[in-house]
Amino acid sequence: MGVLRPATVEVETSLRLVAPDATALPVRASLRYDPLDPYAVHVLFHAEAVGGEPVSWSFARDLLVKGLDEPAGIGDVRVWPWSTPRGEFVALALSSPDGNALFEVPRSVLVRFLRRTYVVVPRGKESDHLDVDAAVARLLQAR
């Protein structure tokens, strides 16, 4: 009989890509939390083309939590509260050598997602779920 492992948390949602002229375009995305990678959250942006591969960004779960209430992050990923006439959002700014993107994420979606991740792996208990040997093996396989 195998060992039961906590389930991955995944939420499908629609983000809004904010263009330089302040117009916003909907973007299909998933928020994912895998207890085997307990410190990180992953945002997968789904391609509109059939069979297109999603683009994934990973960053610290704590960064997302902090960004709910105050500006957080430096460099490639920044998160901060974002109020609009349409409601409460969280801004997610992503930067890479290929360009920059600013997304609006509904605050309520992030709060529900994060609550579900803490049911799976409580805050402060991430190291209990980290399999260092497996992580090292994955890194060595990538070579």
Side-chain angles (χ1 to χ4, degrees), residues 48-73:
E48 291 302 317
V50 174
E53 291 294 315
V55 174
S56 179
W57 279 75
S58 302
F59 48 92
R61 176 169 68 165
D62 283 346
L63 174 69
L64 194 55
V65 171
K66 186 174 182 181
L68 290 172
D69 298 312
E70 63 185 75

Side-chain angles (χ1 to χ4, degrees), residues 67 78-82 89-93 102-105:
R78 294 175 293 123
V79 185
W80 64 91
W82 177 277
F89 293 86
V90 173
L92 174 62
L102 175 62
F103 296 93
E104 291 179 346
V105 185

